[in-house]
Amino acid sequence: YNQWQEVHASDNTSRIIDYRASTGLKYKIAQGFTFNLLYQFNKGRREEEAHMSEQTYFTRHLFNKFSQLSGGEVIHNVPQGGIADRLNEEYRAHNARAQLNSTHAWQDKTDKFHNLTALVGLEVRDITVETNISRLFNYYKGVNQGRRLDSTTFPVFYPPQIRESIENPFRDRELVDRYISYYFSGNYTFDKRY
């Protein structure tokens, strides 16, 4: 194992795209009262690939670890070629906020100043994230194709005192997060000091 060679035999790439669009509306209802309505849309994508060529320790180790002798013949259960771990993730988010603002200032008979500020609002958010994680075997970077192992027919191997199967991370999932939040804040100031 040579760390310098390992770095040069691996090729990791990452690409992130993020879009945001927002708009808002502010309306004066009456003296001291305003209403704000805000909306934002987000959409993004992240693509990552960790390519381990045949020259990396990781690939050689996996290839050799799961090879077996059968009747004097070596059977390789991990396909020859490189290995690529891929992550593809997309998300969409909708955010909306409605807020009522109030400000009232006055001076009393003793010439003391009073200021009352308050706001109340509601925020709604919806986020959807779709994730795909996969591992491709027999992968060559220039050709940009490989194959997945069938995890339903994975053989289980019994190296000395260990029961193990070939590592094959694969996952498709979708997460949805929706929530509504309410908020209120108020402030009173007396004589521009307290």
Coordinates of all heavy atoms in Angstrom, one line a residue, residues 60-122:
R60 N -8.1 -3.8 -5.5 CA -7.3 -5.1 -5.5 C -7.6 -5.9 -4.3 O -7.7 -7.1 -4.3 CB -5.8 -4.7 -5.5 CG -5.2 -4.2 -6.8 CD -3.7 -4.1 -6.8 NE -3.1 -3.8 -5.5 CZ -2.7 -2.6 -5.1 NH1 -2.9 -1.5 -5.9 NH2 -2.1 -2.4 -4.0
H61 N -7.8 -5.2 -3.1 CA -8.1 -6.0 -1.9 C -9.5 -6.7 -2.0 O -9.6 -7.8 -1.6 CB -8.1 -5.0 -0.7 CG -8.6 -5.6 0.6 ND1 -7.8 -6.5 1.2 CD2 -9.7 -5.4 1.3 CE1 -8.5 -6.9 2.3 NE2 -9.6 -6.3 2.4
L62 N -10.5 -5.9 -2.5 CA -11.8 -6.5 -2.7 C -11.8 -7.7 -3.7 O -12.4 -8.7 -3.5 CB -12.8 -5.5 -3.2 CG -14.2 -5.6 -2.8 CD1 -14.4 -5.6 -1.2 CD2 -15.0 -4.4 -3.3
F63 N -11.0 -7.5 -4.8 CA -10.9 -8.5 -5.8 C -10.3 -9.8 -5.2 O -10.8 -10.9 -5.4 CB -10.1 -8.0 -7.0 CG -10.0 -8.9 -8.1 CD1 -11.0 -9.1 -9.0 CD2 -8.8 -9.6 -8.4 CE1 -10.9 -9.9 -10.1 CE2 -8.7 -10.5 -9.4 CZ -9.7 -10.6 -10.3
N64 N -9.2 -9.6 -4.5 CA -8.5 -10.8 -3.9 C -9.2 -11.4 -2.7 O -9.2 -12.6 -2.6 CB -7.1 -10.4 -3.5 CG -6.2 -10.0 -4.6 OD1 -6.4 -10.5 -5.7 ND2 -5.3 -9.1 -4.4
K65 N -9.8 -10.6 -1.9 CA -10.5 -11.1 -0.7 C -11.6 -12.0 -1.0 O -11.9 -13.0 -0.3 CB -11.1 -9.9 0.1 CG -11.8 -10.2 1.4 CD -12.2 -8.9 2.0 CE -13.0 -9.1 3.3 NZ -13.4 -7.9 3.9
F66 N -12.4 -11.8 -2.1 CA -13.5 -12.6 -2.4 C -13.2 -13.6 -3.6 O -14.1 -14.1 -4.2 CB -14.7 -11.8 -2.7 CG -15.2 -11.0 -1.5 CD1 -15.0 -9.7 -1.3 CD2 -15.9 -11.7 -0.5 CE1 -15.4 -9.0 -0.2 CE2 -16.3 -11.1 0.6 CZ -16.1 -9.7 0.8
S67 N -12.0 -13.8 -3.9 CA -11.6 -14.9 -4.8 C -11.5 -16.2 -4.1 O -11.1 -16.2 -2.9 CB -10.2 -14.6 -5.5 OG -10.4 -13.4 -6.3
Q68 N -11.9 -17.3 -4.7 CA -11.9 -18.6 -4.1 C -11.2 -19.6 -5.0 O -11.2 -19.5 -6.2 CB -13.4 -19.1 -3.8 CG -14.1 -18.2 -2.9 CD -15.5 -18.7 -2.7 OE1 -16.2 -19.0 -3.7 NE2 -16.0 -18.7 -1.5
L69 N -10.7 -20.7 -4.3 CA -10.2 -21.8 -5.0 C -11.2 -22.9 -5.1 O -11.8 -23.2 -4.1 CB -8.9 -22.4 -4.3 CG -7.6 -21.6 -4.5 CD1 -6.5 -22.2 -3.6 CD2 -7.2 -21.7 -6.0
S70 N -11.5 -23.4 -6.3 CA -12.4 -24.5 -6.5 C -11.9 -25.5 -7.5 O -11.8 -25.2 -8.6 CB -13.8 -23.9 -7.0 OG -14.7 -24.9 -7.2
G71 N -11.5 -26.6 -6.9 CA -10.9 -27.7 -7.8 C -9.6 -27.2 -8.5 O -9.4 -27.6 -9.6
G72 N -8.8 -26.4 -7.8 CA -7.6 -26.0 -8.4 C -7.7 -24.8 -9.3 O -6.7 -24.3 -9.9
E73 N -8.9 -24.3 -9.5 CA -9.2 -23.1 -10.3 C -9.6 -21.9 -9.4 O -10.3 -22.1 -8.5 CB -10.3 -23.4 -11.3 CG -10.6 -22.3 -12.3 CD -11.7 -22.7 -13.2 OE1 -11.9 -23.9 -13.5 OE2 -12.4 -21.8 -13.6
V74 N -9.1 -20.7 -9.8 CA -9.4 -19.5 -9.0 C -10.7 -18.9 -9.6 O -10.8 -18.6 -10.8 CB -8.2 -18.5 -9.1 CG1 -8.6 -17.2 -8.3 CG2 -7.0 -19.1 -8.5
I75 N -11.6 -18.7 -8.7 CA -12.9 -18.1 -9.2 C -12.9 -16.7 -8.6 O -12.8 -16.5 -7.3 CB -14.1 -18.9 -8.7 CG1 -14.1 -20.2 -9.3 CG2 -15.4 -18.1 -9.0 CD1 -15.1 -21.2 -8.7
H76 N -13.1 -15.7 -9.4 CA -13.1 -14.3 -9.0 C -14.6 -13.8 -8.9 O -15.2 -13.7 -9.9 CB -12.3 -13.4 -9.9 CG -10.9 -13.7 -10.1 ND1 -10.0 -13.6 -9.1 CD2 -10.2 -14.3 -11.1 CE1 -8.8 -14.0 -9.4 NE2 -8.9 -14.5 -10.7
N77 N -15.1 -13.6 -7.7 CA -16.4 -13.2 -7.5 C -16.7 -11.7 -7.7 O -17.8 -11.2 -7.8 CB -16.9 -13.6 -6.1 CG -17.0 -15.1 -6.0 OD1 -17.8 -15.8 -6.7 ND2 -16.1 -15.7 -5.2
V78 N -15.6 -10.9 -7.6 CA -15.6 -9.5 -7.9 C -15.1 -9.3 -9.3 O -14.0 -9.7 -9.7 CB -14.8 -8.7 -6.9 CG1 -14.7 -7.2 -7.3 CG2 -15.3 -8.8 -5.5
P79 N -15.9 -8.7 -10.2 CA -15.5 -8.5 -11.6 C -14.2 -7.7 -11.7 O -14.0 -6.8 -10.9 CB -16.6 -7.8 -12.3 CG -17.8 -7.9 -11.3 CD -17.2 -8.1 -10.0
Q80 N -13.4 -8.0 -12.7 CA -12.2 -7.2 -12.9 C -12.5 -5.8 -13.4 O -13.6 -5.6 -14.0 CB -11.3 -7.9 -13.9 CG -10.6 -9.1 -13.4 CD -9.5 -9.7 -14.4 OE1 -9.7 -9.6 -15.6 NE2 -8.5 -10.3 -13.8
G81 N -11.7 -4.9 -13.2 CA -11.9 -3.5 -13.6 C -12.0 -2.6 -12.4 O -11.9 -3.1 -11.2
G82 N -12.2 -1.4 -12.6 CA -12.4 -0.4 -11.5 C -13.7 -0.5 -10.8 O -14.6 -1.3 -11.2
I83 N -13.8 0.3 -9.8 CA -15.1 0.3 -9.0 C -15.4 1.8 -8.9 O -14.6 2.7 -8.6 CB -14.9 -0.3 -7.6 CG1 -14.6 -1.8 -7.7 CG2 -16.2 -0.1 -6.7 CD1 -14.3 -2.5 -6.4
A84 N -16.7 2.1 -9.1 CA -17.2 3.5 -9.0 C -18.3 3.6 -8.0 O -19.3 2.9 -8.1 CB -17.6 4.1 -10.3
D85 N -18.2 4.4 -6.9 CA -19.3 4.7 -6.0 C -19.9 6.0 -6.5 O -19.2 7.0 -6.6 CB -18.8 4.8 -4.6 CG -18.4 3.5 -4.0 OD1 -18.8 2.4 -4.5 OD2 -17.7 3.4 -3.0
R86 N -21.2 5.9 -6.7 CA -21.9 7.1 -7.2 C -23.0 7.6 -6.2 O -23.7 6.7 -5.6 CB -22.6 6.8 -8.5 CG -21.6 6.7 -9.6 CD -22.3 6.5 -10.9 NE -21.3 6.6 -12.1 CZ -21.7 6.4 -13.3 NH1 -22.9 6.1 -13.6 NH2 -20.8 6.6 -14.3
L87 N -23.2 8.9 -6.1 CA -24.3 9.5 -5.4 C -24.9 10.5 -6.3 O -24.3 11.4 -6.8 CB -23.7 10.2 -4.1 CG -24.7 11.1 -3.4 CD1 -25.7 10.3 -2.6 CD2 -24.0 12.1 -2.6
N88 N -26.2 10.4 -6.4 CA -27.0 11.4 -7.2 C -28.1 11.8 -6.2 O -28.9 11.0 -5.7 CB -27.7 10.8 -8.4 CG -26.6 10.5 -9.5 OD1 -25.8 11.4 -9.8 ND2 -26.6 9.3 -10.0
E89 N -28.2 13.1 -6.0 CA -29.2 13.6 -5.1 C -29.9 14.9 -5.7 O -29.2 15.8 -6.2 CB -28.5 14.0 -3.8 CG -29.4 14.4 -2.7 CD -28.7 14.5 -1.4 OE1 -28.0 15.5 -1.2 OE2 -28.8 13.6 -0.5
E90 N -31.2 14.9 -5.6 CA -31.9 16.1 -6.1 C -32.9 16.6 -5.0 O -33.4 15.7 -4.2 CB -32.8 15.7 -7.3 CG -32.0 15.6 -8.6 CD -32.9 15.5 -9.8 OE1 -34.0 16.1 -9.8 OE2 -32.6 14.7 -10.7
Y91 N -33.0 17.9 -4.9 CA -34.0 18.4 -3.9 C -34.8 19.5 -4.5 O -34.4 20.2 -5.4 CB -33.2 18.8 -2.6 CG -32.6 20.2 -2.7 CD1 -33.3 21.3 -2.3 CD2 -31.3 20.4 -3.2 CE1 -32.8 22.6 -2.4 CE2 -30.8 21.6 -3.3 CZ -31.5 22.7 -2.9 OH -31.0 24.0 -3.0
R92 N -36.0 19.7 -3.9 CA -36.9 20.8 -4.2 C -37.4 21.3 -2.9 O -37.8 20.5 -2.1 CB -38.0 20.3 -5.1 CG -37.6 19.9 -6.5 CD -38.8 19.3 -7.3 NE -39.4 18.1 -6.7 CZ -38.9 16.9 -6.6 NH1 -37.7 16.7 -7.1 NH2 -39.5 15.9 -6.0
A93 N -37.5 22.6 -2.8 CA -38.1 23.2 -1.6 C -38.9 24.4 -1.9 O -38.6 25.2 -2.8 CB -36.9 23.7 -0.7
H94 N -40.1 24.5 -1.3 CA -41.0 25.6 -1.4 C -41.1 26.2 0.0 O -41.4 25.5 1.0 CB -42.4 25.1 -1.8 CG -42.4 24.4 -3.1 ND1 -42.5 25.1 -4.3 CD2 -42.3 23.1 -3.5 CE1 -42.5 24.3 -5.3 NE2 -42.3 23.1 -4.9
N95 N -40.9 27.5 0.1 CA -41.0 28.2 1.4 C -42.0 29.4 1.2 O -41.8 30.2 0.3 CB -39.7 28.8 1.8 CG -38.6 27.7 1.9 OD1 -38.7 26.8 2.7 ND2 -37.6 27.7 1.0
A96 N -42.9 29.5 2.1 CA -43.8 30.7 2.0 C -44.0 31.3 3.4 O -44.0 30.5 4.4 CB -45.2 30.3 1.5
R97 N -44.0 32.6 3.5 CA -44.2 33.3 4.8 C -45.2 34.4 4.7 O -45.1 35.2 3.7 CB -42.8 33.8 5.3 CG -42.9 34.6 6.6 CD -41.6 35.2 6.9 NE -40.8 34.1 7.5 CZ -39.6 34.4 8.1 NH1 -39.1 35.6 8.2 NH2 -38.9 33.4 8.6
A98 N -46.1 34.5 5.6 CA -47.0 35.6 5.7 C -46.8 36.3 7.1 O -46.7 35.6 8.1 CB -48.5 35.1 5.6
Q99 N -46.6 37.6 7.1 CA -46.3 38.3 8.3 C -47.0 39.6 8.4 O -47.1 40.4 7.5 CB -44.8 38.5 8.4 CG -44.3 39.2 9.6 CD -42.8 39.2 9.6 OE1 -42.1 38.2 9.5 NE2 -42.2 40.4 9.8
L100 N -47.6 39.9 9.6 CA -48.2 41.2 9.9 C -47.4 41.9 10.9 O -47.0 41.4 11.9 CB -49.6 40.9 10.5 CG -50.5 42.1 10.8 CD1 -50.8 42.9 9.6 CD2 -51.7 41.7 11.6
N101 N -47.1 43.2 10.5 CA -46.2 44.0 11.3 C -47.0 45.2 11.8 O -47.8 45.8 11.1 CB -45.0 44.6 10.5 CG -44.3 43.5 9.8 OD1 -43.7 42.6 10.4 ND2 -44.3 43.5 8.5
S102 N -46.7 45.6 13.1 CA -47.4 46.7 13.6 C -46.4 47.6 14.4 O -45.6 47.1 15.2 CB -48.5 46.3 14.6 OG -49.1 47.4 15.3
T103 N -46.5 48.9 14.2 CA -45.6 49.8 14.9 C -46.5 51.0 15.3 O -47.2 51.6 14.5 CB -44.5 50.4 14.0 OG1 -43.7 49.2 13.6 CG2 -43.6 51.3 14.8
H104 N -46.4 51.3 16.6 CA -47.2 52.5 17.1 C -46.4 53.2 18.1 O -45.8 52.7 19.1 CB -48.5 52.0 17.8 CG -49.4 53.0 18.3 ND1 -50.0 53.9 17.4 CD2 -49.8 53.4 19.5 CE1 -50.8 54.7 18.1 NE2 -50.6 54.4 19.4
A105 N -46.2 54.5 17.9 CA -45.4 55.4 18.8 C -46.3 56.6 19.2 O -47.1 57.1 18.4 CB -44.2 55.9 18.1
W106 N -46.2 57.0 20.5 CA -46.9 58.1 21.0 C -46.2 58.8 22.1 O -45.3 58.2 22.7 CB -48.3 57.7 21.4 CG -48.4 56.9 22.6 CD1 -48.6 57.3 23.9 CD2 -48.3 55.5 22.7 NE1 -48.6 56.3 24.7 CE2 -48.4 55.1 24.0 CE3 -48.0 54.4 21.7 CZ2 -48.3 53.8 24.5 CZ3 -47.9 53.2 22.2 CH2 -48.1 52.8 23.5
Q107 N -46.6 60.0 22.4 CA -46.0 60.8 23.5 C -47.2 61.1 24.5 O -48.2 61.6 24.1 CB -45.4 62.1 22.9 CG -44.7 62.9 23.9 CD -44.0 64.1 23.3 OE1 -44.1 64.3 22.1 NE2 -43.3 64.8 24.1
D108 N -46.9 60.8 25.8 CA -48.0 61.0 26.7 C -48.0 62.5 27.2 O -47.2 63.3 26.8 CB -47.9 60.0 27.9 CG -46.7 60.2 28.7 OD1 -46.0 61.2 28.6 OD2 -46.4 59.2 29.5
K109 N -48.9 62.8 28.2 CA -49.1 64.1 28.7 C -47.9 64.7 29.5 O -47.7 65.9 29.6 CB -50.3 64.2 29.6 CG -51.6 64.0 28.8 CD -52.8 64.0 29.7 CE -54.0 63.7 29.0 NZ -55.2 63.6 29.8
T110 N -47.0 63.7 29.9 CA -45.8 64.1 30.7 C -44.6 64.2 29.8 O -43.5 64.2 30.3 CB -45.6 63.1 31.9 OG1 -45.4 61.8 31.3 CG2 -46.7 63.1 32.8
D111 N -44.8 64.2 28.5 CA -43.8 64.2 27.5 C -42.8 63.0 27.5 O -41.7 63.1 27.1 CB -42.9 65.5 27.6 CG -43.7 66.7 27.2 OD1 -44.6 66.6 26.4 OD2 -43.3 67.9 27.6
K112 N -43.4 61.9 27.9 CA -42.6 60.6 27.8 C -43.0 59.9 26.5 O -44.2 59.9 26.1 CB -43.0 59.7 29.0 CG -42.7 60.3 30.4 CD -41.2 60.5 30.6 CE -41.0 61.0 32.0 NZ -39.6 61.4 32.2
F113 N -42.0 59.3 25.9 CA -42.2 58.6 24.6 C -42.5 57.1 24.8 O -41.8 56.5 25.6 CB -41.0 58.8 23.7 CG -40.9 60.2 23.2 CD1 -40.0 61.1 23.8 CD2 -41.6 60.7 22.1 CE1 -39.9 62.4 23.4 CE2 -41.4 62.0 21.6 CZ -40.6 62.8 22.3
H114 N -43.4 56.6 24.1 CA -43.8 55.2 24.1 C -43.7 54.6 22.7 O -44.1 55.3 21.8 CB -45.2 55.0 24.7 CG -45.4 55.6 26.0 ND1 -45.2 54.9 27.2 CD2 -45.8 56.9 26.4 CE1 -45.5 55.7 28.2 NE2 -45.8 56.9 27.7
N115 N -43.2 53.4 22.6 CA -43.1 52.8 21.2 C -43.5 51.3 21.4 O -42.9 50.6 22.2 CB -41.7 52.9 20.7 CG -41.6 52.5 19.2 OD1 -42.6 52.5 18.5 ND2 -40.4 52.1 18.8
L116 N -44.4 50.9 20.6 CA -44.9 49.5 20.7 C -44.7 48.9 19.3 O -45.2 49.4 18.3 CB -46.3 49.4 21.1 CG -46.9 48.0 21.2 CD1 -46.2 47.2 22.3 CD2 -48.4 48.1 21.6
T117 N -43.9 47.8 19.2 CA -43.7 47.1 17.9 C -44.1 45.7 18.1 O -43.7 45.0 19.1 CB -42.2 47.2 17.5 OG1 -41.9 48.6 17.5 CG2 -42.0 46.6 16.1
A118 N -44.8 45.1 17.1 CA -45.2 43.7 17.2 C -45.2 43.1 15.8 O -45.5 43.8 14.8 CB -46.5 43.6 17.9
L119 N -45.0 41.8 15.8 CA -45.2 41.1 14.5 C -45.7 39.7 14.8 O -45.4 39.1 15.8 CB -43.9 41.1 13.7 CG -42.7 40.4 14.2 CD1 -42.7 38.9 13.8 CD2 -41.4 41.0 13.7
V120 N -46.5 39.2 13.9 CA -47.0 37.8 14.0 C -47.0 37.2 12.6 O -47.2 37.9 11.6 CB -48.5 37.8 14.6 CG1 -49.4 38.6 13.7 CG2 -49.0 36.4 14.8
G121 N -46.6 36.0 12.5 CA -46.5 35.4 11.2 C -46.7 33.9 11.2 O -46.8 33.2 12.2
L122 N -46.7 33.4 10.0 CA -46.8 32.0 9.7 C -45.9 31.6 8.6 O -45.7 32.3 7.6 CB -48.3 31.7 9.2 CG -48.6 30.4 8.5 CD1 -48.7 29.3 9.5 CD2 -49.9 30.6 7.8

